[in-house]
Amino acid sequence: MKSVFLETHNLKNKATGLGTFNYELIKGLSQLELIDLELTLNVKNKKTLKSEFGDKFKYHKYNNLSRHYIFRNRKKYDLWHSVNQNTKVEPFYLNKYLLTVHDVNFVEEISLDLKHKVNLLFIEKLNKSTAITYISEFAKQQTHKYFDVPKVPEYVIYNGNPISTILDISNFNPKITLEKPFLYSIGDFLERKNFLSLVKMMVHINEFNLIISGNKNKPYGKTIEKFIIDNNLQNRVFLTGKIDETSKQFYLSKCLAFVFPSIREGFGLPPIEAMFFGKPVFLSNKTSLPEIGGENAYYWDNFDSEYMKIVLINGLNHFYSNQQVMEKLMKKRATDFDWKITAMEYIKVYNDLLK
């Protein structure tokens, strides 16, 4: 029996991208028959996870102090899986080490100086890796662009679709009055999400509204709110703040189109969720998004507001003049991303490394 430790403490916040990845990967693994493998999860709340997954896994109690060398987990494992590139939780005893890279946006957003501490932390992870997995081809290319990647096995394993159950939205009453068809987007209010470009586009659009969900209580959110007020868009652009899963499925299933102009995206789960509901998706052509949207999504090459409007209107006309065909194509594309398949690919990597 080979032992694998999954550094999964980020699942404590399932509303974030990393939290979603941690939870959905665990959920996918729980559906598989684990032959000659003992998986241990690093979790903050052992009781909650065990109530859901039972004895499928072993559970290690996460402690903030474990980020410091002297307090690291001293149990020896055959394989340590660092499930994202930012975690500071590392093994005390190093055997085999698998690193999953979601993105290296920190190079562009924090410092290009490879001697900066955030880059040094990542380089340390790279150098002790037995193998590396990436969540997209772009994440792999971006890593090789900025770092000297060791000559170890490398794999690209796509994430799955987080929506596994369609919820009952019949009793959901949105706080926003849906008087017009609306465009929808969701994500954290960070500059790289580029939501402001959508709001600027709305200056030129009167026939639709725009709804954006996510944590708006950040400086970028305040910038967007100010632009909305300054341009008298209060009755056409709405920021919901954080929402639950029922609310998200309501907006995704009812929107006219999903709009996601992110300029830095290691993967991008929301477009898959929108395609799951058969919606047209409008994406930036930056980073990983063309990998996710495929050939039937619509893309913005730049973020001039009038140009964005033209792409949007032309795309909507194309989609809704071929609605039945296009809805099927979008739903089919969403099925390409499945967490159970993702989990199977990680298990294959574990077994390859543990031979």
Side-chain angles (χ1 to χ4, degrees):
M1 181 75 70
K2 297 291 186 178
S3 58
V4 182
F5 185 89
L6 285 81
E7 205 303 271
T8 51
H9 84 271
N10 281 115
L11 62 80
K12 62 186 178 182
N13 186 357
K14 286 192 274 186
T16 66
L18 291 179
T20 298
F21 177 86
N22 279 251
Y23 175 74
E24 295 295 343
L25 177 59
I26 290 169
K27 188 176 176 182
L29 291 169
S30 73
Q31 299 172 46
L32 305 179
E33 184 179 358
L34 304 177
I35 301 173
D36 295 329
L37 286 177
E38 179 183 85
L39 306 187
T40 298
L41 310 180
N42 195 29
V43 295
K44 189 170 184 179
N45 193 324
K46 293 169 62 175
K47 185 177 179 181
T48 300
L49 267 291
K50 190 162 187 177
S51 68
E52 182 170 1
F53 300 114
D55 295 327
K56 189 74 177 184
F57 307 106
K58 298 288 185 180
Y59 304 91
H60 178 268
K61 174 71 173 177
Y62 166 72
N63 188 308
N64 288 336
L65 290 174
S66 63
R67 294 180 295 174
H68 303 285
Y69 181 82
I70 193 172
F71 296 110
R72 287 180 178 179
N73 182 352
R74 299 195 178 212
K75 184 174 179 180
K76 295 180 180 179
Y77 296 91
D78 296 307
L79 174 63
W80 181 286
H81 183 185
S82 185
V83 300
N84 81 74
Q85 70 284 338
N86 296 323
T87 178
K88 294 181 176 63
V89 179
E90 297 290 345
F92 189 89
Y93 296 106
L94 181 61
N95 195 346
K96 294 186 176 182
Y97 186 91
L98 175 64
L99 172 64
T100 294
V101 178
H102 297 250
D103 63 66
V104 291
N105 289 336
F106 49 83
V107 181
E108 298 170 359
E109 295 178 347
I110 299 176
S111 177
L112 289 168
D113 180 3
L114 294 186
K115 293 183 180 179
H116 189 283
K117 62 181 181 180
V118 70
N119 294 326
L120 288 174
L121 176 66
F122 182 65
I123 291 170
E124 182 184 346
K125 289 176 180 291
L126 284 177
N127 289 339
K128 66 185 174 187
S129 296
T130 310
I132 304 169
T133 58
Y134 304 90
I135 64 170
S136 65
E137 289 288 349
F138 170 75
K140 180 178 179 180
Q141 294 165 10
Q142 187 188 35
T143 304
H144 280 264
K145 177 180 177 181
Y146 291 112
F147 296 95
D148 184 12
V149 178
K151 296 186 184 305
V152 297
E154 297 178 274
Y155 310 82
V156 173
I157 301 177
Y158 287 124
N159 295 344
N161 175 12
I163 298 179
S164 56
T165 304
I166 299 179
L167 302 178
D168 180 9
I169 60 172
S170 59
N171 294 320
F172 177 75
N173 293 312
K175 296 179 182 179
I176 300 166
T177 302
L178 304 180
E179 296 176 341
K180 293 181 179 179
F182 64 92
L183 311 172
Y184 185 60
S185 195
I186 186 171
D188 207 357
F189 275 66
L190 302 170
E191 288 190 21
R192 67 171 174 260
K193 297 299 183 181
N194 200 22
F195 290 144
L196 185 57
S197 69
L198 296 174
V199 183
K200 289 181 176 179
M201 178 183 68
M202 292 301 294
V203 172
H204 310 287
I205 296 175
N206 293 310
E207 58 266 47
F208 315 129
N209 289 338
L210 170 65
I211 299 173
I212 307 176
S213 297
N215 182 8
K216 62 181 180 178
N217 297 320
K218 295 186 174 184
Y220 188 58
K222 301 302 179 186
T223 298
I224 291 174
E225 288 180 326
K226 183 177 185 303
F227 186 91
I228 291 171
I229 294 169
D230 290 347
N231 291 273
N232 198 29
L233 294 170
Q234 299 95 317
N235 294 323
R236 291 194 285 125
V237 178
F238 305 94
L239 309 181
T240 69
K242 290 184 178 181
I243 59 172
D244 61 17
E245 188 66 23
T246 301
S247 306
K248 181 175 73 172
Q249 290 198 21
F250 176 88
Y251 290 122
L252 285 170
S253 63
K254 301 296 183 183
C255 70
L256 184 68
F258 183 78
V259 285
F260 200 68
S262 177
I263 57 175
R264 290 192 184 95
E265 205 70 37
F267 187 78
L269 291 170
I272 298 174
E273 296 175 306
M275 290 188 290
F276 177 80
F277 287 103
K279 298 298 178 177
V281 294
F282 291 81
L283 313 172
S284 85
N285 69 346
K286 312 299 181 187
T287 64
S288 68
L289 290 176
E291 287 183 67
I292 309 308
E295 62 183 6
N296 292 306
Y298 304 96
Y299 296 97
W300 288 300
D301 297 328
N302 66 72
F303 306 107
D304 173 80
S305 56
E306 294 191 27
Y307 159 80
M308 289 181 71
K309 174 191 173 180
I310 292 170
V311 172
L312 176 73
I313 298 302
N314 288 343
L316 288 174
N317 287 337
H318 173 264
F319 185 93
Y320 284 103
S321 63
N322 305 276
Q323 186 171 353
Q324 287 188 334
V325 172
M326 293 303 296
E327 283 183 353
K328 287 180 180 178
L329 288 172
M330 302 315 288
K331 290 178 179 179
K332 183 178 183 302
R333 178 63 178 170
T335 64
D336 291 341
F337 304 94
D338 185 307
W339 279 109
K340 187 175 181 180
I341 294 173
T342 298
M344 290 171 64
E345 293 190 31
Y346 276 101
I347 290 293
K348 185 178 184 302
V349 173
Y350 296 167
N351 286 326
D352 286 347
L353 297 179
L354 292 169
K355 284 179 181 177

